[in-house]
Amino acid sequence: MIPRFKILFLIVGLIFGVHCRSARVGQAETLMGTLVEITAEGRDHKLVEARVALAFEEVRRVDRLISTFREDSELSRINRAAGVAPVQVSPEVLEAIERSLEVSRLSDGAFDISYAALGGLWDFSGEKPARVPEAAEIAARLKRVGWRRIQVDRSAGTVFLPEAGMRLDLGAIAKGYAVDRALAALKVPGVDRALVTAGGDLRAFTRPGEKPWRIGIQDPARRDRLLGELEIQNQAVATSGQYERFVEIQGRRYGHILDPRTGRPAEGVLGATVIASEAWEADAWATALLVLGPEQGIKLLPSPPGIEALIVDAKGRWHATPGLAGRIQPAPSPSVPFLFRL
Ligand code: AMP
Ligand code: MG
């Protein structure tokens, strides 16, 4: 008979051996106009590598479906048919639009993918000389903004914008949605830990017993500094900030997140970070909070467990949901492997 301590030794050895043989694959690529980084760990290097490749393919696929920068995307087809006819779209595009509409409802219209009818009035590309649009121009465009007018027919699988000039843009949710799809490709037997980041959005996967991911939150006021660190296991984190894209007109900054109620860039919030179980939701709410501001934003944020937010207002003050305040560790270490921006 094998002595007990030998069995124990064998088990410990096996666990240790398996752990030591764990392979880590990390790759980065510029997709959807941002840096996408995917890291995964597991025993079988080949399997992990294949899964990481598949995850990148998922990001490319989502981009092809919903990017408004692509003429051939399904979203661009919906926009071209505004005021003309409903457009048949794939179930995923329908789903992304329906989720967006749900956030519009919950956020009192602060989040609105039809904001895009204002497109071009505010030019953040830097290609044209920047100017503040006239009030009358904004008012004319605002007539075509309104999430309630987006017609989704689930059974027919179509989306219709009833007036010419209406437009949809999923820029505020697309990266989160892509991160979710990429993570799904990694959440398979043989992968023990995974992290997908796309610009300000990320989602982690950690099998029970594995080490959590430690991430850093960048200070929106001082970009060379971290606000703090956070440990996550199976959650998503998204960050939005007006500083990400803006134009400067006569010494004043105008950010790329627009208030669909006024047609003007949202003001009052420097940055917002949201934690949720899925990245699309964190992404949508991070954008919504920029429009809503701290008080209203925290009030309207859905309350299922796991949804948390940190908002830094224009004066640099923090506003956090109770569940998050205690999770942020204020002393940032230089060894944080993943930084994302607040
Ligand atoms: P994010 O970086 O996720 O906050 O997304 C910002 C992008 O969302 C902008 O560049 C616009 O494309 C889009 N956007 C701007 N304002 C809104 C809004 N009020 N609701 C939904 N999307 C918006
Ligand atoms: Mg967003």
Side-chain angles (χ1 to χ4, degrees), residues 110-113 115 169 171-172 240 245 256-258 260 283 287 291:
F111 184 88
D112 188 343
I113 56 173
Y115 88 93
D169 177 75
S240 284
R245 259 178 100 207
H256 65 140
I257 296 169
L258 301 178
D283 194 2
T287 309
V291 178

Side-chain angles (χ1 to χ4, degrees), residues 3-224:
R4 250 201 215 151
F5 79 90
K6 273 201 177 164
I7 294 177
L8 191 70
F9 194 71
L10 206 72
I11 293 170
V12 170
L14 260 176
I15 293 170
F16 192 69
V18 163
H19 204 74
C20 281
R21 271 187 272 121
S22 183
R24 185 182 183 120
V25 176
Q27 280 169 24
E29 205 176 315
T30 300
L31 295 166
M32 304 181 94
T34 195
L35 188 71
V36 177
E37 291 178 81
I38 300 180
T39 308
E41 292 174 7
R43 266 146 286 154
D44 180 345
H45 188 269
K46 274 216 157 66
L47 180 144
V48 176
E49 215 169 42
R51 283 287 150 180
V52 169
L54 209 62
F56 273 110
E57 193 40 49
E58 281 294 277
V59 177
R60 282 185 217 106
R61 193 178 61 77
V62 169
D63 188 35
R64 280 195 298 271
L65 283 177
I66 61 181
S67 167
T68 34
F69 294 110
R70 293 168 175 268
E71 285 288 304
D72 58 345
S73 74
E74 292 193 4
L75 211 70
S76 293
R77 279 179 36 228
I78 297 172
N79 288 340
R80 275 197 298 273
V84 181
V87 173
Q88 193 93 39
V89 294
S90 57
E92 275 176 302
V93 172
L94 212 68
E95 187 185 37
I97 292 174
E98 283 192 318
R99 288 177 175 185
S100 298
L101 294 177
E102 177 64 2
V103 178
S104 296
R105 194 178 62 75
L106 294 171
S107 68
D108 246 351
F111 184 88
D112 188 343
I113 56 173
S114 76
Y115 88 93
L118 292 154
L121 266 193
W122 299 94
D123 183 36
F124 303 104
S125 66
E127 284 159 12
K128 287 186 267 171
R131 66 177 187 96
V132 175
E134 305 286 338
E137 291 175 285
I138 296 177
R141 296 287 191 98
L142 273 180
K143 290 192 184 131
R144 289 170 192 124
V145 175
W147 60 274
R148 284 196 173 84
R149 299 176 67 197
I150 303 169
Q151 295 177 17
V152 177
D153 185 335
R154 220 176 211 211
S155 49
T158 59
V159 180
F160 181 44
L161 303 179
E163 193 185 332
M166 282 185 79
R167 262 183 86 77
L168 302 184
D169 177 75
L170 288 171
I173 192 180
K175 276 183 272 152
Y177 198 78
V179 164
D180 284 332
R181 296 293 148 159
L183 196 97
L186 295 161
K187 223 171 147 182
V188 294
V191 177
D192 299 326
R193 287 176 90 221
L195 185 75
V196 180
T197 78
D201 300 346
L202 65 85
R203 184 163 166 188
F205 164 62
T206 316
R207 243 176 240 297
E210 296 287 335
K211 237 178 39 201
W213 293 94
R214 200 170 175 79
I215 55 168
I217 306 175
Q218 196 170 45
D219 188 333
R222 292 246 334 250
R223 300 190 66 181
D224 56 337

Side-chain angles (χ1 to χ4, degrees), residues 181-300:
R181 296 293 148 159
L183 196 97
L186 295 161
K187 223 171 147 182
V188 294
V191 177
D192 299 326
R193 287 176 90 221
L195 185 75
V196 180
T197 78
D201 300 346
L202 65 85
R203 184 163 166 188
F205 164 62
T206 316
R207 243 176 240 297
E210 296 287 335
K211 237 178 39 201
W213 293 94
R214 200 170 175 79
I215 55 168
I217 306 175
Q218 196 170 45
D219 188 333
R222 292 246 334 250
R223 300 190 66 181
D224 56 337
R225 207 174 64 174
L226 288 182
L227 265 191
E229 296 176 7
L230 200 65
E231 279 195 350
I232 54 164
Q233 286 182 310
N234 290 294
Q235 277 180 311
V237 186
T239 301
S240 284
Q242 287 291 42
Y243 57 83
E244 288 286 350
R245 259 178 100 207
F246 59 85
V247 283
E248 220 160 69
I249 307 169
Q250 292 173 341
R252 210 176 138 187
R253 279 188 179 191
Y254 296 87
H256 65 140
I257 296 169
L258 301 178
D259 185 332
R261 299 163 296 194
T262 63
R264 301 176 59 85
E267 288 174 344
V269 176
L270 279 183
T273 289
V274 176
I275 302 184
S277 51
E278 296 184 8
W280 73 268
E281 193 169 29
D283 194 2
W285 276 100
T287 309
L289 292 180
L290 262 280
V291 178
L292 288 168
E295 284 82 25
Q296 247 227 319
I298 288 183
K299 206 166 80 197
L300 294 183

